[in-house]
């Protein structure tokens, strides 16, 4: 029975990781599409001789990019010591509680 529980836990971890990856890639895709649309809009509304390289034209991409980087860190570095240990310990406690 222990092997089944361990395999089940590994399966659930893998499934959660795949779901995290899927959400991240959707987030990345939307980020790219929206920012391309913003670039086209901004280029279309430039005054003659006005440079595109202004802070206002990069504001959304910069702030959203910071959020995207944070999302990437949470997806691609989930094994950061205390977080993973806490998750595994919490899973064991929940499983023990459910058996009782």
């Amino acid at each position: 029975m222990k092997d089944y529980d361990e395999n089940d836990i590994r399966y659930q971890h893998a499934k959660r990781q795949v779901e995290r990856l899927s959400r991240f890639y959707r987030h990345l895709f939307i980020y790219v599409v929206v920012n391309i649309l913003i670039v086209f809009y901004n280029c279309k509304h430039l005054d003659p001789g006005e440079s595109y390289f202004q802070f206002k034209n990069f504001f959304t991409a910069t702030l959203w990019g910071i959020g995207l980087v944070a999302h990437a860190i949470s997806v691609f570095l989930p094994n950061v010591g205390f977080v993973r240990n806490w998750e595994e310990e919490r899973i064991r406690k929940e499983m023990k509680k459910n058996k009782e």
Side-chain angles (χ1 to χ4, degrees), residues 2 6 28 30 32 39 45 49 82 87 90 98:
K2 182 178 179 183
E6 290 294 322
L28 178 62
I30 292 168
V32 170
V39 167
H45 291 88
F82 75 92
E87 282 181 347
R90 190 69 193 159
N98 289 338

Side-chain angles (χ1 to χ4, degrees), residues 2 51 63:
K2 182 178 179 183
S51 172
L63 291 181

Side-chain angles (χ1 to χ4, degrees), residues 46 50-58:
L46 285 176
E50 184 180 17
S51 172
Y52 182 80
F53 296 99
Q54 302 172 40
F55 177 73
K56 67 180 183 174
N57 292 333
F58 296 97

